[in-house]
Amino acid sequence: MAEAGADVLVPHMGLTTKGAIGAGTALTLAESALRVQAMRDAAVRVNPDILVLCHGGPIAEPADAQYIFEHTEGIAGFFGASSIERLAVEPAIEQQARAFKDLKLT
């Protein structure tokens, strides 16, 4: 991607593992940090100005992203998808559905 001229690279560590429909298997955070770092290092050899963000797999919560930041160098941030839009709302949707289910007909 760096050779193709990408300005941003987002190493994808797989399907998000947390939440109600999260993937059952994935890389560990430690394995993800190594892979993100390797992809970042390869990309900056081609384009020293490329921005590299981490994403996916076990990187689902803020603490997970913090782990990646602390175990890599030169990562510009985190790209959120299901970790932002799905994981945040699942508990609220489940609670609301349970509240309707618990209603008593008179």
Side-chain angles (χ1 to χ4, degrees):
M1 293 305 299
E3 289 175 358
D7 296 320
V8 178
L9 178 70
V10 184
H12 192 294
M13 297 298 106
L15 297 173
T16 301
T17 58
K18 296 183 179 174
I21 61 168
T25 60
L27 299 169
T28 66
L29 280 171
E31 292 168 330
S32 294
L34 292 173
R35 289 185 183 201
V36 168
Q37 187 68 60
M39 289 185 223
R40 181 259 176 207
D41 293 347
V44 298
R45 281 193 294 274
V46 174
N47 175 3
D49 296 324
I50 196 167
L51 296 176
V52 179
L53 309 174
C54 60
H55 172 73
I59 314 167
E61 303 285 343
D64 304 330
Q66 187 65 53
Y67 178 94
I68 300 297
F69 299 157
E70 292 173 358
H71 291 85
T72 58
E73 292 182 9
I75 303 305
F78 169 74
F79 182 87
S82 60
S83 57
I84 302 292
E85 45 82 11
R86 179 175 61 81
L87 295 181
V89 301
E90 277 183 356
I93 292 171
E94 183 177 345
Q95 180 182 356
Q96 187 75 346
R98 286 186 190 284
F100 276 102
K101 184 179 182 278
D102 292 341
L103 293 174
K104 305 295 181 230
L105 296 173
T106 58

